[in-house]
Amino acid sequence: MLDKLHTALVQQAPALFRLPVKLIPAAAQQALMLETLKRVFSEALDDDEFEFLENRWLEVHVRDIGFNSYISFDNDKLVVKQNIETPDVRFSGDLNDLILIAARKEDPDTLFFQRRLLIEGDTELGLEVKNLMDSVDLDLLPPLLRQGLFSLAAFVQKGLQTSAHADEAHYAHKI
């Protein structure tokens, strides 16, 4: 019974986040995104590892909640905007998959080949972004952020695994 509730929460979470994404002003969403990126990538920013993104735009698209954010690097600072004409590269995935990638519970390459993570546009730039993400030492994140990410990812992972097991059992029963 609790496993079914857990699975339902994980599966329905994106639908629950769609409304706040629509209601929260874009400026507030982008400010939160910028502050989060600054914290997560503080070491990379200090080491000037974002120069490859100078005058180029990365779009992060969370498909199932309708969230888009555009990220660039200008004058030694990260820049986040709500909308631009044409991004150079686009990372697109569903909320649960992106949470698992962020916590390193799921391999981005695996999700890419399963078409659950899409990388469109300048593939060389996309690879540089992916390598930068891989280089983040999660142990250096602020403890509250790190623990929150790991707890959320464990919750999502367990809910998705329970769902997969239920699907397998249902399929086996039909055979």
Side-chain angles (χ1 to χ4, degrees), residues 13-150:
L16 298 174
F17 279 100
R18 264 187 236 123
L19 183 60
V21 166
K22 287 181 182 177
L23 295 178
I24 295 173
Q29 291 179 31
Q30 302 317 315
L32 178 61
M33 177 69 131
L34 180 59
E35 288 308 310
T36 302
L37 290 171
K38 284 181 185 178
R39 287 180 187 247
V40 170
F41 292 104
S42 64
E43 187 176 310
L45 286 164
D46 290 343
D47 295 341
D48 295 324
E49 293 180 28
F50 271 89
E51 288 180 349
F52 71 91
L53 204 52
E54 187 97 32
N55 298 318
R56 304 183 81 194
W57 288 95
L58 160 68
E59 177 185 359
V60 176
H61 176 67
V62 187
R63 291 185 300 246
D64 54 354
I65 65 171
F67 175 81
N68 284 48
S69 194
Y70 300 86
I71 303 159
S72 187
F73 190 73
D74 188 34
N75 293 322
D76 296 324
K77 293 181 186 174
L78 278 176
V79 178
V80 176
K81 290 190 176 183
Q82 176 191 5
N83 208 350
I84 64 162
E85 284 292 316
T86 307
D88 296 285
V89 67
R90 180 183 208 215
F91 279 62
S92 180
D94 289 337
L95 180 64
N96 289 329
D97 288 335
L98 295 175
I99 290 168
L100 295 175
I101 290 170
R104 301 210 172 106
K105 299 282 186 189
E106 197 63 75
D107 178 47
D109 293 330
T110 301
L111 296 182
F112 176 79
F113 288 113
Q114 293 174 352
R115 300 197 186 277
R116 291 167 51 193
L117 172 67
L118 299 177
I119 302 172
E120 303 167 297
D122 184 334
T123 53
E124 185 177 323
L125 180 60
L127 186 58
E128 288 185 76
V129 170
K130 181 191 163 297
N131 290 339
L132 180 65
M133 290 170 45
D134 288 342
S135 74
V136 171
D137 184 353
L138 298 180
D139 291 333
L140 297 178
L141 293 178
L144 189 59
L145 180 61
R146 182 181 64 243
Q147 189 55 45
L149 174 62
F150 289 157

